[in-house]
Amino acid sequence: MSGVLTRDIKYVGGVGEVRAKVLEKEIGVRTIGDLLTRYPYRYIDRTRHLKLGELDESMDNTYVQLRCRVVGKSFVGEGSRRRFVVEAVDATGSAELIWFQGIKWIEKRVEMGREYIVFGRPSFFRGRISLVHPEIETVEQCLSRKQESGFQGIYPSTERLSQAIPVKAMQTIIHNAWQIASTDASAFADPLSEALRRKHGLITLREAIYNIHFPQSSELLRQAQYRLKFDELLGVQLTIQARRTERHVRNDGFIFPRVGDNFNAFYHNKIPFALTGAQQRVIKEIRADMISGRQMNRLLQGDVGSGKTMVAFMTMLLAVDNGFQACIMAPTEILARQHYASMQRFAEGLNVRVAILTGSSKSKERRASLSGVASGEIDILIGTHALIEDKVQFANLGYVVIDEQHRFGVEQRAKLWTKNQQPPHILVMTATPIPRTLAMTLYGDLEVSVIDELPPGRQPIRTFHYYDSSRLKMFGFLRSEIAKGRQVYIVYPLIKESEKMDYKDLYDGFESISRDFPLPNYRIAVCHGQMKPEDKDASMAQFKSGEADIMIATSVIEVGVDVPNATVMVIESAERFGLSQLHQLRGRVGRGGEQSYCILMSGDKLSKEGRARLEAMCATNDGFRLSELDLKLRGAGDIHGTQQSGDAFELNIANLATDNQIMQLTRDVALEILADDPTLAKPENSLLRELRERHHRRERIDFSDIS
Ligand code: ADP
Ligand code: MG
C-alpha cells in the first residue's frame, strides 16, 4: 500500500483522538487504507423515503429513511428510564421516535409541526413502530447538504462504534479520507493490467473504491462490487492454483497396481449386497488415482445413508493387497466403534487384521494396536483423533480415510500426512455436501467424487414440524410406530458452551417424557456426551440389538450411527440446530426398507431464520440443496467447521454462497497468469503478489495439504 494509505486515521477531518481510538478498538481500523477497504454492506437510496405504512416487521432493525411531521413531543419516565418521545406521522401512519441520551439537546432541535428526514432502525411492538436514537434533520438541511450521490453506504459497525460515530458522520469521515487518498496518484494503483481489465469488462480499482463508498449510479455500484469481488477471489485463486501446480509437479504417490486376493474374495463371496452404480463408479475413480503415481487427495460426497463405509472398506482392501496399511479416522467414539464392529465382520475369513484405537482405549487395547501398527501386523486401524497422536507409528501407511470430515480441523488432517515419509493417499468422506464454491475455496484442487444414488428400496423420509403445543400428537405417533415393532430416537440439543446444560436438558426431557408419555412397557436407552465411553457403547448396543425401543440422546448421535430398524427421529428444540446438523440427524432413520419419519419439535416463537430452516427441512431431503441454503442463511464463515475458510481468506465483499461465477472466472484467470509467471516474480505482477497476500494474511493452512 502506498504512503498516503498508511496515514493515521486520526488526522482525517471528523475523526480526532477519541474517535480514532474507538475505530481501532472496535473494528481494527488504524489507517486511511484500512478505512477505505472496509466496504458498506448495504446501501440506502437517500432520494427515497419510505412511507410509514410501508414498514413491516421484516424490516425490524434494518436502516430506513422516512419523511415525517412532528405532532407531539414529551419527556417520559424517571431516572435512567427517562426519555424524550416524539410522535411523528406521515400520510400513511405514525411512529414514536425515542431518545434516552442528550434529550435536552434533542428536545430543542425538534419543532412541533415541522417536517424531518428521519434515519434509523425501526422496531415493532404490538402494532406500534418505534425508532430509538434515530438521526434526524430538517428537510431544508437535507436538501442543502452537498450530496456525493443518492446512495448512502451502511457500514458494518458495533454498538459502541455507532454511538461514537453515527451513520452520517461515518459517511463524512470516509469522504474526507477519500479526498486525502485521491491526492496521491499511486494510492490504489491497479494490480490488473489494462488488457486484463478490458478483456473482462472491469473498471479500475480506483473507480471501484470510489463507487463502492459513493456510488454514482446503481450501475456503477454493481461494477464496483464486481471489480472488488473479482480482486478478492483472484487473490484466493492465485494462492490455491499455485499450490496445486506445485503438488502435481511433486508427483510422488504410492502405486497400488494389484487388485488382490482380499479385494476379490470380498467382492465375489462376502459382500452382503450388490454395490450401487454410484459406489462402483467411485471405487473405480479411487482405484484410478491409486495407480496414477500421483498422491490422491479426494473428497467423497455422499448423502447420509448412501453407503460410503463400504467404499472406504473396499478401497482399503486395495491398499492392503498391495502391502500397505490403511486407517480410517472417525469423528466420534461411537462411530469409530461402529466402524470397527462392521469392518471386523467384513474382514472375517479374509487375510486382513483390523484393530481399533481411540482416546478411551484401555491400556491393553492401546498397547496391542500401537505395537501392531508399528510392526505391520495390523492392516487396518480404525479410530478417532487418537490416530493423529505422535505415538501412533505405522510400519507402512499407504491410505488414509477420514469420515465425516467437517468435524476435523484442517490442521489435524494435515498431521496424518506425516505418518509416512511419502504422503499416503487421502480420501475425505462427507455426508454434508459442500456447495461447489465453498469446495473450490476450501479444497482448491481436491478431486471430488459423488455418490448420487441411494441403495435400492429406500423410501424418502417424511418430515414434519410440530409446535410444542402439539406434543401429544407426536407421542401418539411414536406409540403407533413402536407398536409396529419399530424404534425411535429422541434427540435434544447439545449446548457446546455447557456440557452440564446438555445433560440437564436431556434429563429434563427424559423426565417430562416419562411423565407426559407413560411408557411402562417401553425400554429406553440414553446416550450423551457426559457418559463414559463404555456406557455409551452399552447404550448403543442395547438400541442396536432392539432391546431398547427408544433412544434418548444428545447430538452425539448425529453422525454415522446405523440402526436400520429405527424409523422415527424426533428432534427437540429443532430451531436450535443448524441445517446441516438437522439433516445429519434425520439421516439416522430411513436406513432400512420401512417408511421413516422425522419430527421437528419447536417452541411457538421462532426467529425468521429458525423458521426458514425448519421449512427447508420439511420441503426437501436433498442434502445439496440444504447446504446451499445453509450457506446463504449463515454465511460461509460459520458453516460446518469451515471457519478455516473465513480465517484463511479474509473475504471482505465476495460471497461464497453467491459468487460462484466470479470464482470460476478468476480460477481461469489465475491459471493464465501463473502459466506465464508461476511465482509472480515478474515486476509487472508485483501488485498481484500483494493482492494474493492481502486476502490470505493468516498463513496457517497449506491448502495442498488439506487432508
Ligand atoms: P453413509 O454414507 O451415511 O456412511 P453407510 O455406509 O452407513 O452410509 O450405509 C448406510 C446403510 O446402507 C448401511 O446399513 C449399509 O450397510 C447399507 N448399504 C450400503 N451400501 C448398500 C448397497 N449397495 N445396497 C444395500 N445397502 C447398502
Ligand atoms: Mg457414514
Side-chain angles (χ1 to χ4, degrees):
M1 260 199 230
S2 101
V4 69
L5 295 183
T6 61
R7 269 194 222 160
D8 194 323
I9 194 76
K10 76 178 164 205
Y11 302 115
V12 173
V15 183
E17 293 279 353
V18 175
R19 283 180 165 176
K21 282 223 177 74
V22 181
L23 278 168
E24 166 149 27
K25 187 136 183 271
E26 293 294 306
I27 55 173
V29 165
R30 279 188 14 245
T31 64
I32 290 182
D34 291 343
L35 190 68
L36 291 176
T37 49
R38 281 176 56 87
Y39 312 133
Y41 67 93
R42 148 178 148 72
Y43 298 84
I44 293 194
D45 184 347
R46 285 205 309 215
T47 59
R48 223 185 128 223
H49 305 117
L50 284 177
K51 297 263 182 291
L52 281 165
E54 289 176 287
L55 299 187
D56 68 58
E57 299 203 11
S58 72
M59 301 171 191
D60 188 61
N61 217 20
T62 62
Y63 284 100
V64 297
Q65 183 168 262
L66 308 162
R67 178 175 175 154
C68 32
R69 190 174 299 282
V70 173
V71 296
K73 56 180 200 173
S74 56
F75 290 101
V76 183
E78 289 304 325
S80 66
R81 301 292 307 156
R82 187 160 168 81
R83 55 203 186 271
F84 176 56
V85 178
V86 166
E87 177 78 15
V89 299
D90 67 12
T92 64
S94 68
E96 277 184 352
L97 315 180
I98 303 169
W99 286 266
F100 291 96
Q101 277 151 18
I103 59 181
K104 287 212 181 96
W105 185 75
I106 294 281
E107 196 269 340
K108 286 205 190 81
R109 287 181 60 202
V110 175
E111 278 175 51
M112 285 291 281
R114 192 156 189 176
E115 237 188 339
Y116 290 86
I117 304 298
V118 177
F119 179 81
R121 291 183 284 189
S123 54
F124 300 83
F125 185 67
R126 299 216 172 114
R128 290 288 296 156
I129 302 169
S130 60
L131 289 88
V132 173
H133 283 202
E135 296 176 26
I136 62 168
E137 55 190 351
T138 60
V139 173
E140 297 75 31
Q141 270 171 330
C142 185
L143 291 176
S144 69
R145 194 154 35 80
K146 179 186 166 300
Q147 307 227 343
E148 271 310 320
S149 75
F151 290 97
Q152 166 133 26
I154 305 293
Y155 293 84
S157 187
T158 65
E159 183 94 33
R160 293 196 49 207
L161 183 61
S162 37
Q163 262 171 29
I165 312 181
V167 173
K168 284 185 183 165
M170 182 63 96
Q171 179 91 355
T172 309
I173 289 170
I174 288 170
H175 191 244
N176 294 342
W178 169 262
Q179 301 248 283
I180 297 172
S182 59
T183 59
D184 180 349
S186 70
F188 305 117
D190 209 306
L192 305 185
S193 68
E194 211 193 315
L196 198 61
R197 288 201 307 267
R198 196 164 328 116
K199 180 165 171 197
H200 298 288
L202 298 161
I203 59 176
T204 63
L205 180 60
R206 196 184 173 77
E207 286 173 284
I209 297 275
Y210 181 70
N211 279 286
I212 203 77
H213 293 295
F214 316 107
Q216 299 299 299
S217 68
S218 52
E219 173 56 20
L220 274 165
L221 173 59
R222 197 193 58 74
Q223 291 195 29
Q225 287 169 328
Y226 187 81
R227 165 65 208 251
L228 294 172
K229 288 177 177 188
F230 188 96
D231 281 21
E232 271 187 8
L233 295 178
L234 181 62
V236 168
Q237 288 297 341
L238 284 170
T239 307
I240 293 173
Q241 300 310 332
R243 293 201 167 137
R244 170 188 179 202
T245 319
E246 201 185 308
R247 190 160 70 79
H248 282 193
V249 173
R250 260 192 269 142
N251 216 22
D252 55 357
F254 291 126
I255 299 180
F256 301 163
R258 260 195 308 278
V259 176
D261 293 344
N262 286 309
F263 186 94
N264 284 325
F266 183 78
Y267 186 57
H268 295 297
N269 309 323
K270 287 218 58 191
I271 191 165
F273 38 66
L275 293 175
T276 62
Q279 283 170 318
Q280 286 177 20
R281 189 188 64 238
V282 168
I283 291 173
K284 280 195 192 123
E285 285 167 357
I286 294 169
R287 157 126 173 95
D289 285 352
M290 288 173 162
I291 55 178
S292 72
R294 228 185 246 170
Q295 183 249 345
M296 174 174 82
N297 244 328
R298 190 170 276 280
L299 180 68
L300 172 55
Q301 300 191 331
D303 215 338
V304 283
S306 62
K308 294 184 292 296
T309 316
M310 187 49 75
V311 170
F313 181 71
M314 291 182 67
T315 51
M316 290 202 280
L317 291 181
L318 289 172
V320 173
D321 277 340
N322 284 276
F324 286 87
Q325 292 168 301
C327 70
I328 177 166
M329 186 159 78
T332 64
E333 177 89 23
I334 291 180
L335 196 51
R337 296 270 161 201
Q338 185 181 289
H339 280 330
Y340 180 54
S342 48
M343 290 189 181
Q344 247 182 338
R345 206 171 60 235
F346 293 157
E348 268 166 31
L350 302 178
N351 188 20
V352 175
R353 278 141 316 240
V354 181
I356 185 162
L357 182 72
T358 73
S360 63
S361 287
K362 293 271 165 45
S363 55
K364 192 169 147 222
E365 184 176 85
R366 167 175 296 269
R367 264 201 310 276
S369 293
L370 285 177
S371 71
V373 285
S375 68
E377 222 172 285
I378 288 168
D379 303 300
I380 293 179
L381 184 62
I382 297 163
T384 53
H385 295 66
L387 296 189
I388 304 174
E389 288 167 20
D390 293 335
K391 274 174 284 184
V392 186
Q393 295 292 338
F394 290 86
N396 193 17
L397 181 63
Y399 181 35
V400 173
V401 180
I402 298 168
D403 196 11
E404 311 293 354
Q405 57 82 32
H406 64 276
R407 288 298 193 87
F408 291 107
V410 174
E411 281 151 65
Q412 289 173 319
R413 275 178 260 147
K415 263 188 130 173
L416 277 170
W417 271 59
T418 58
K419 297 278 177 195
N420 203 342
Q421 250 116 3
Q422 217 174 311
H425 295 298
I426 311 266
L427 183 71
V428 178
M429 306 200 296
T430 176
T432 314
I434 298 169
R436 233 188 109 64
T437 7
L438 193 56
M440 282 175 77
T441 325
L442 267 183
Y443 301 111
D445 65 320
L446 273 202
E447 320 299 331
V448 178
S449 289
V450 181
I451 304 187
D452 50 7
E453 181 185 356
L454 292 178
R458 298 275 172 83
Q459 301 182 45
I461 301 164
R462 298 174 60 187
T463 303
F464 304 98
H465 169 208
Y466 285 168
Y467 291 104
D468 285 338
S469 43
S470 328
R471 189 157 282 279
L472 287 178
K473 223 158 90 186
M474 181 267 282
F475 286 143
F477 182 67
L478 297 192
R479 274 201 199 92
S480 70
E481 280 292 299
I482 296 172
K484 288 188 219 157
R486 316 265 193 273
Q487 290 164 282
V488 166
Y489 292 100
I490 303 178
V491 173
Y492 288 84
L494 179 137
I495 299 165
K496 275 214 194 81
E497 290 78 14
S498 156
E499 294 270 302
K500 276 221 182 77
M501 271 294 276
D502 148 31
Y503 185 76
K504 185 178 167 301
D505 280 7
L506 184 125
Y507 275 92
D508 282 358
F510 184 69
E511 269 174 22
S512 88
I513 283 178
S514 344
R515 196 175 54 236
D516 304 342
F517 181 35
L519 306 166
N521 305 317
Y522 297 150
R523 295 149 304 174
I524 299 180
V526 176
C527 193
H528 60 76
Q530 296 255 298
M531 283 162 64
K532 291 208 199 88
E534 54 268 34
D535 295 341
K536 265 191 260 178
D537 288 347
S539 248
M540 276 313 298
Q542 250 187 336
F543 191 60
K544 205 161 179 159
S545 69
E547 236 175 276
D549 307 297
I550 302 179
M551 165 61 85
I552 296 193
T554 57
S555 47
V556 289
I557 221 78
E558 178 187 340
V559 280
V561 170
D562 188 33
V563 180
N565 189 49
T567 56
V568 187
M569 166 61 68
V570 177
I571 305 175
E572 293 283 356
S573 305
E575 73 274 22
R576 279 158 65 182
F577 289 92
L579 256 185
S580 72
Q581 228 184 345
L582 289 172
H583 182 60
Q584 275 284 342
L585 284 169
R586 175 167 61 185
R588 296 313 107 220
V589 296
R591 305 191 140 234
E594 304 299 339
Q595 177 63 55
S596 292
Y597 305 87
C598 174
I599 302 180
L600 308 169
M601 300 301 299
S602 84
D604 295 332
K605 217 171 146 34
L606 285 174
S607 70
K608 218 162 80 180
E609 282 196 6
R611 180 180 308 278
R613 285 198 296 272
L614 301 187
E615 278 169 5
M617 282 292 292
C618 295
T620 182
N621 273 309
D622 181 337
F624 259 102
R625 278 182 54 199
L626 289 173
S627 73
E628 300 268 358
L629 190 75
D630 201 20
L631 190 58
K632 284 194 180 129
L633 286 175
R634 294 204 293 165
D638 206 20
I639 224 166
H640 45 70
T642 51
Q643 285 90 342
Q644 294 95 346
S645 74
D647 282 0
F649 299 110
E650 294 182 29
L651 298 181
N652 232 341
I653 183 165
N655 178 340
L656 295 176
T658 49
D659 295 327
N660 201 356
Q661 256 182 332
I662 310 181
M663 181 75 100
Q664 306 268 7
L665 176 61
T666 52
R667 177 175 183 274
D668 297 341
V669 173
L671 286 173
E672 243 169 72
I673 294 170
L674 292 169
D676 170 61
D677 182 9
T679 57
L680 300 181
K682 294 189 178 172
E684 67 266 31
N685 287 335
S686 71
L687 287 172
L688 281 175
R689 212 161 52 230
E690 252 182 55
L691 183 73
R692 183 177 66 182
E693 277 143 26
R694 179 152 11 116
H695 296 296
H696 194 229
R697 277 185 214 132
R698 297 179 213 167
E699 193 66 34
R700 290 196 328 197
I701 301 159
D702 181 338
F703 276 77
S704 64
D705 293 357
I706 187 94
S707 42

